[in-house]
Amino acid sequence: MAKAAESSGDPGTTSPRPLMRDLKAVGKKFMHVLYPRKSNTLLRDWDLWGPLILCVTLALMLQRSSIDSEKDGGPQFAEVFVIVWFGAVTITLNSKLLGGNISFFQSLCVLGYCILPLTVAMLVCRLVLLAEPGPINFMVRLFVVVVMFAWSIVASTAFLADSQPPNRKALAIYPVFLFYFVISWMILTFTPQ
Amino acid sequence: MENMDDTSGSSFEDMGELHQRLREEEVDADAAAAEEEDGEFLGMKGFKGQLSRQVADQMWQAGKRQASRAFSLYANIDILRPYFDVEPAQVRSRLLESMIPIKMVNFPQKIAGELYGPLMLVFTLVAILLHGMKTSDTIIREGTLMGTAIGTCFGYWLGVSSFIYFLAYLCNAQITMLQMLALLGYGLFGHCIVLFVTYNIHLHALFYVFWLLVGGLSTLRMVAVLVSRTVGPTQRLLLCGTLAALHMLFLLYLHFAYHKVVEGILDTLEGPDIPPMQRVPRDVPAALPAARLSAIVLNATAKAVAVTLQSH
């Protein structure tokens, strides 16, 4: 493809050039998620770097310090990872079975990128948890998580809704709602120790 | 008549065979065209090479055909496509109908053979179970709880469907596996409603009323459908009694014992934090992990006993 042809014809350059291009593409898609409009950017040139970065960040932040727990945090990382990727695969299969004309990886790409607002919510919750615990603390975190949850759903709807037959959009969006609800629950109930 | 139409949708194997046969015809047509071109190009000179090549080709084709038949049978999601062919209005009406028992038992009642509604209801039940376990300041191992929730809900849906299908086979009931999955899946709608309400309003009396009313209605609906498809009083009793018992007891379990399982996990994690004066004195070395575990369990029981004694 175009990227490989460009980079392979020049043995003198090291990898920074395609790396910067990839990073810029990932950053552009992040912007599209944060300000969702009906556009094709996420669908046209999909990539899975962004979802991977977001998933790893989320899984790392959802670990707790392992001073007094028997397990050393390893399984928690794996569990978050598995839930995110298997949830995305399930939603993709569901939308394909409902008659959507989106490809498998395009759908994974959109669902992965739309986790960005929830990752931001996780960062904010982590900062809020540095203050003293209490009901106000919980209310602030609840508010932030609910707002980001709604943002994720709006963003993914803006990208995914066009690929479904018009009368079945609700059927395709409902599992997306459940998926982001489960991730929001994981973020909201997280307490480091 | 509508009610007699039971054979909704062909079986997986039939659809797989159809797809495979269509694809094979395409592949054969392409291969025949390619072979003709080859023959014209080589003429008489490449005859021997052509023969050995043809043998190799045929062996390759046979192997490929077998492999792709197996693959297309089990990995082709197009087989599942007819079971997801629904409209939102249909899903809505089926959800409402799952709470309305129909008393017509002389004629087999129609069951919609779709998988979208049941699958979404199982996932919704998982989400409701997770929502019911939110606590704000206790250590939670989210992975274990999530795995337990998913395992419980899917295990119930698939396991009880298979078991009741097996019983239906023994009792000569007219129901296919797909219909059983769909019936039980839609029966979980009542469970979702009851759990959603009672996880937010924590009154035991309210739960019992909902359990009887809502759980009872969805169970009656499933029982009526099964009765209409079974002949003979003993068979009807066996099949419907089993289904009713399992369905109602599952809701009871989800409300009470599931919470206990969760609290057990939470208590085991909270064990080391219990202040020393509540510990029952035992002279076992603290290094043995088994003894420590039993000490922690005993502490939880002692704590519960202390709480009940205090409240009286």
Side-chain angles (χ1 to χ4, degrees), chain B residues 132-153:
Chain B
M133 289 188 278
K134 66 179 185 311
T135 49
S136 51
D137 54 350
T138 325
I139 303 175
I140 306 175
R141 265 192 264 157
E142 306 114 354
T144 315
L145 295 180
M146 187 109 41
T148 318
I150 294 181
T152 309
C153 297

Side-chain angles (χ1 to χ4, degrees), chain B residues 84-229:
Chain B
F84 281 76
D85 190 13
V86 289
E87 305 292 320
Q90 282 179 324
V91 175
R92 201 175 22 238
S93 68
R94 281 170 194 168
L95 283 176
L96 292 174
E97 280 168 9
S98 74
M99 304 296 293
I100 304 174
I102 298 184
K103 205 153 180 280
M104 176 186 64
V105 295
N106 300 321
F107 236 46
Q109 294 184 19
K110 185 170 164 55
I111 306 177
E114 56 137 323
L115 287 178
Y116 174 82
L119 201 62
M120 287 304 125
L121 279 170
V122 173
F123 281 125
T124 310
L125 191 61
V126 171
I128 293 178
L129 283 179
L130 292 177
H131 160 71
M133 289 188 278
K134 66 179 185 311
T135 49
S136 51
D137 54 350
T138 325
I139 303 175
I140 306 175
R141 265 192 264 157
E142 306 114 354
T144 315
L145 295 180
M146 187 109 41
T148 318
I150 294 181
T152 309
C153 297
F154 269 96
Y156 175 76
W157 182 47
L158 296 171
V160 171
S161 291
S162 316
F163 180 61
I164 301 288
Y165 176 66
F166 167 66
L167 279 185
Y169 171 73
L170 290 181
C171 300
N172 276 329
Q174 290 175 26
I175 193 165
T176 67
M177 184 66 192
L178 172 73
Q179 289 169 332
M180 192 59 230
L181 282 171
L183 190 66
L184 193 65
Y186 274 111
L188 287 176
F189 181 54
H191 284 27
C192 288
I193 297 179
V194 174
L195 288 175
F196 184 67
V197 170
T198 53
Y199 279 156
N200 291 318
I201 309 174
H202 293 280
L203 289 174
H204 274 338
L206 182 70
F207 169 72
Y208 282 119
V209 166
F210 265 82
W211 177 64
L212 280 176
L213 271 183
V214 179
L217 274 179
S218 79
T219 313
L220 273 178
R221 156 92 182 161
M222 292 197 295
V223 158
V225 169
L226 279 181
V227 162
S228 75
R229 284 164 175 262

Side-chain angles (χ1 to χ4, degrees), chain A residues 96-97 167-168 171 174 185, chain B residues 81 85 87 116 124 130:
Chain A
K96 281 183 82 73
L97 285 169
N167 50 344
R168 291 191 188 177
L171 296 184
Y174 180 68
W185 175 86
Chain B
R81 212 178 271 270
D85 190 13
E87 305 292 320
Y116 174 82
T124 310
L130 292 177

Side-chain angles (χ1 to χ4, degrees), chain A residues 138-166:
Chain A
F138 181 70
M139 294 307 292
V140 167
R141 280 188 292 138
L142 179 67
F143 177 70
V144 167
V145 169
V146 165
V147 165
M148 290 302 173
F149 165 65
W151 199 331
S152 285
I153 296 194
V154 165
S156 60
T157 311
F159 294 119
L160 285 179
D162 284 336
S163 66
Q164 291 293 324

